[in-house]
Amino acid sequence: MTDTEDFLRLWDELAPIGRSADSGGYRRYVLTDEDATLREWFAATAAARGLEVTQDRAGNQWAWWGDPDARPGLVIGSHLDSVPDGGAFDGPLGVVSAFLALDELRARGVRPARPVGVACFADEEGARFGVACGGSRLLTGALEPDRAMGLRDGDGVELGEALSHAGRAPVAADPEALRRVGAFVELHVEQGRGLQDLGLPVAVASEIIPHGRWRLDFRGEANHAGTTRLEDRHDAMLGYAGAVLEARRLAASHGVLATCGKVAVTPGGVNAVPAHVTAWLDARGDEVGAVRAMVAEMEAFVAEHEGEMAQESWTDATRFDDALTARVRDAVRASTGDEVPVLGTGAGHDAGILALAGVPAAMLFVRNPTGVSHSPAEHAEVDDCVAGVHALASVVEELSR
Ligand code: GLV
Ligand code: MN
Ligand code: MN
């Protein structure tokens, strides 16, 4: 059985990669040096276990135990990239737990009757190029390769250029790689306090609420902060400032969530009137109709204030496979002896993208004592992480009989 030392041995290998000394958070963005190091780590960790490592045309990595072309496999895993100054657990916990679950099964002499894979999805957070779950969306065809290749980062670098700079081929959908996935189970740190409040270590997921991202552009005219009279200014910041407050007001009135967490100001001088503000809105809610209504009112507001608003991504309400989730839940309950709650989430996941593409998918959540996520303060106790590995191993054993 995996113990604390086994967990920490593998976990600690990842700890320094992309960690900011200033914030203590992680900056692991796609197609950067940190990403290359993480990809090497994944390949080496798989190879050390004798797993066959492949990369699909969408840029996702896979490590297979057994021949994935013999019959559709059971896949576990998650992602290794992060949001700006993200926590250590969002993504990596699922990848590390997947390798350790396979170690545990092998140590127990379990021989799965179907291929078992560990997946590491590329660019789940979309922190650099803007589209969340880029790797799984490309894989399933939910993101057009041409659109992906033309996405730009904050410095204007296209994804296609970044790929060629990294010596990588253009990305594409990969139906052959997708066909190998008979079912996907993603273990993830909980991004809320559901388990903490219940006093339990592991849950299964029921659904992901609908969510999307929109880009906002406000144009003005650069001019001197000391010599331009207020009435002569065309200040792009004013439209944006109004939009932030409007998003908050509309979110409250529609009962949804709205976040304006990223903004870029041109020219970006303390003493220059802003000529252009680009910003992003993240909107989510329990009901598709409420999110859409909020966004429609927001679009009207932005247009009235001479701005533009364009959708960058959208993910519908996502229900995980009920039959698979029931089996996962039974397997976890049998292994931990604990009650296993069923929790919905407001966070997006590659498991959700696969579910929307028709792949039976399920998720396990591991307790997060504060519920904080997308922050350096994100945490899970090591004993709960080990409980998650045992739970995942039981799930793999049950689903690969
Ligand atoms: C991913 O973590 C998201 O929900 O934005
Ligand atoms: Mn995340
Ligand atoms: Mn995640």
Side-chain angles (χ1 to χ4, degrees):
M1 292 279 268
T2 311
D3 61 20
T4 305
E5 272 176 39
D6 298 325
F7 181 83
L8 290 176
R9 201 175 308 116
L10 201 54
W11 186 248
D12 288 348
E13 290 177 11
L14 285 174
I17 306 171
R19 184 156 199 230
S20 156
D22 296 337
S23 68
Y26 287 90
R27 299 174 185 172
R28 294 169 169 166
Y29 311 138
V30 71
L31 295 167
T32 59
D33 290 347
E34 291 76 18
D35 183 36
T37 305
L38 291 163
R39 294 176 77 84
E40 281 164 20
W41 175 87
F42 181 89
T45 303
R49 287 161 172 74
L51 306 174
E52 193 205 337
V53 183
T54 64
Q55 179 186 300
D56 66 30
R57 300 181 74 206
N60 308 301
Q61 289 179 292
W62 307 81
W64 284 103
W65 178 17
D67 176 3
D69 293 317
R71 52 178 293 204
L74 169 66
V75 178
I76 54 180
S78 188
H79 63 97
L80 292 176
D81 65 305
S82 79
V83 296
D85 286 335
F89 296 83
D90 177 355
L93 184 62
V95 178
V96 166
S97 299
F99 282 123
L100 292 174
L102 296 199
D103 290 352
E104 186 167 315
L105 294 176
R106 289 166 143 197
R108 296 209 321 251
V110 172
R111 298 183 61 84
R114 68 197 290 198
V116 178
V118 178
C120 181
F121 287 100
D123 200 13
E124 194 271 350
E125 302 287 4
R128 180 170 175 196
F129 291 102
V131 176
C133 298
S136 53
R137 282 189 213 267
L138 269 166
L139 172 73
T140 59
L143 172 61
E144 285 289 320
D146 283 351
R147 180 173 167 230
M149 292 291 283
L151 292 171
R152 287 181 190 275
D153 70 7
D155 295 323
V157 177
E158 284 191 355
L159 180 86
E161 291 172 52
L163 278 166
S164 90
H165 185 74
R168 301 251 307 268
V171 285
D174 198 334
E176 288 83 18
L178 186 60
R179 261 200 296 279
R180 292 170 155 189
V181 188
F184 179 53
V185 179
E186 179 170 2
L187 178 148
H188 204 280
V189 68
E190 196 199 344
Q191 296 166 292
R193 289 179 47 97
L195 282 165
Q196 177 67 20
D197 291 348
L198 293 164
L200 291 165
V202 180
V204 295
S206 52
E207 67 206 314
I208 299 175
I209 63 174
H211 57 283
R213 294 182 185 186
W214 288 262
R215 177 181 159 132
L216 277 56
D217 282 282
F218 293 92
R219 285 166 231 283
E221 193 178 10
N223 212 331
H224 195 287
T227 61
T228 317
R229 294 187 307 172
L230 291 180
E231 54 271 35
D232 291 341
R233 294 179 184 210
H234 191 188
D235 186 344
M237 188 62 89
L238 297 182
Y240 171 61
V244 174
L245 297 175
E246 183 67 359
R248 174 70 185 226
R249 190 188 71 75
L250 289 172
S253 79
H254 287 277
V256 302
L257 300 169
T259 307
C260 300
K262 182 174 173 181
V263 57
V265 183
T266 306
V270 178
N271 51 356
V273 175
H276 191 157
V277 174
T278 303
W280 284 266
L281 168 73
D282 178 307
R284 314 184 187 211
D286 292 336
E287 302 294 332
V288 173
V291 180
R292 287 294 185 191
M294 180 268 171
V295 167
E297 286 192 46
M298 192 65 197
E299 281 166 342
F301 178 93
V302 170
E304 270 166 36
H305 293 80
E306 295 168 28
E308 289 156 35
M309 180 163 157
Q311 181 176 297
E312 290 205 329
S313 62
W314 172 255
T315 307
D316 252 323
T318 308
R319 175 100 202 149
F320 289 111
D321 189 281
D322 286 325
L324 180 67
T325 298
R327 286 184 73 192
V328 166
R329 191 175 182 210
D330 287 347
V332 177
R333 199 189 277 127
S335 105
T336 62
D338 286 327
E339 193 40 50
V340 181
V342 184
L343 302 174
T345 181
H349 297 286
D350 295 305
I353 301 301
L354 265 56
L356 287 172
V359 176
M363 290 191 76
L364 295 179
F365 292 137
V366 171
R367 170 164 50 193
N368 175 338
T370 62
V372 172
S373 188
H374 286 186
S375 150
E378 180 185 86
H379 187 65
E381 296 294 342
V382 68
D383 285 350
D384 287 345
C385 296
V386 170
V389 173
H390 296 327
L392 187 60
S394 310
V395 168
V396 173
E397 185 172 11
E398 166 60 24
L399 298 181
S400 63
R401 277 187 203 287

